[in-house]
Amino acid sequence: MKDKKKTTLWERYLTKEIGIEFKACLYFFAILFFYSMYRICIGSLEASIIHMAEMIFACYIIGYVQVYLLWNFDEADSVGAKEIAGVIICTAIYSLLSYFLRWFDKNIYVTLGLAAYVLVTYICVILIYKTKRNIDDKKLNEDLALFKTEHKKVQDRVE
């Protein structure tokens, strides 16, 4: 029988880093989509590379904040006061950055639109993670039941 090994510090760190990479890509794509739609709506098919660099940098920084300071709230098992606070804090950061870095030409209405969009994005991501956990739990339970059945068959043959 194999030795049961605990996850190492390196593995836990690596798992968090992979999660941050995923978050940065996910939220960057969402914000870039909003930004692109804004650019199209104002009649421009051009986007600022500087704005895109600021967005991805912001997504990485906020990803680190989410994971290391705000309880990784978008992957929480349940939604409570801490998770709601995390959503509000990160939404506010994205909105303030977009305003002060002029992603939307300091248009307060578009900035408020971004805030609403980011809130909806967070809600969707929380629901996606919850659904994924439920599916993973179901699969693990099925695998465990299959293992128990196979283990019992082997024991019955040995006896």
Side-chain angles (χ1 to χ4, degrees):
M1 184 176 266
K2 292 184 178 180
D3 292 333
K4 294 179 183 176
K5 295 182 180 179
K6 291 184 178 181
T7 57
T8 65
L9 182 61
W10 170 251
E11 289 169 328
R12 288 191 302 271
Y13 169 76
L14 195 57
T15 299
K16 286 182 179 184
E17 289 299 312
I18 291 168
I20 292 166
E21 289 289 329
F22 179 74
K23 288 177 197 311
C25 291
L26 175 69
Y27 295 119
F28 172 65
F29 178 78
I31 292 169
L32 183 61
F33 176 78
F34 188 90
Y35 176 75
S36 298
M37 293 301 101
Y38 167 74
R39 299 298 300 167
I40 289 170
C41 287
I42 64 169
S44 174
L45 296 178
E46 297 174 0
S48 168
I49 292 173
I50 298 298
H51 285 164
M52 287 186 273
E54 292 166 348
M55 289 173 195
I56 192 67
F57 185 69
C59 289
Y60 271 103
I61 297 299
I62 293 170
Y64 278 97
V65 168
Q66 280 182 238
V67 169
Y68 289 107
L69 299 178
L70 296 176
W71 324 283
N72 209 9
F73 64 85
D74 60 351
E75 293 186 44
D77 290 330
S78 61
V79 176
K82 286 189 335 185
E83 291 75 22
I84 292 169
V87 168
I88 291 168
I89 290 166
C90 290
T91 299
I93 293 169
Y94 279 122
S95 300
L96 290 169
L97 285 172
S98 78
Y99 184 79
F100 289 113
L101 296 174
R102 300 176 181 266
W103 296 347
F104 307 107
D105 305 314
K106 285 200 164 188
N107 183 323
I108 192 69
Y109 299 110
V110 178
T111 302
L112 292 173
L114 174 71
Y117 177 76
V118 169
L119 282 172
V120 170
T121 301
Y122 275 122
I123 291 166
C124 290
V125 169
I126 289 167
L127 292 172
I128 288 166
Y129 275 118
K130 183 176 175 57
T131 301
K132 183 182 181 321
R133 266 192 314 279
N134 289 340
I135 293 167
D136 288 347
D137 288 349
K138 184 178 176 182
K139 178 71 174 132
L140 283 171
N141 286 332
E142 290 171 357
D143 290 347
L144 179 60
L146 181 63
F147 174 78
K148 285 179 179 179
T149 302
E150 293 300 318
H151 184 68
K152 176 140 178 54
K153 287 179 186 177
V154 169
Q155 281 184 335
D156 289 346
R157 277 187 257 157
V158 169
E159 294 173 353

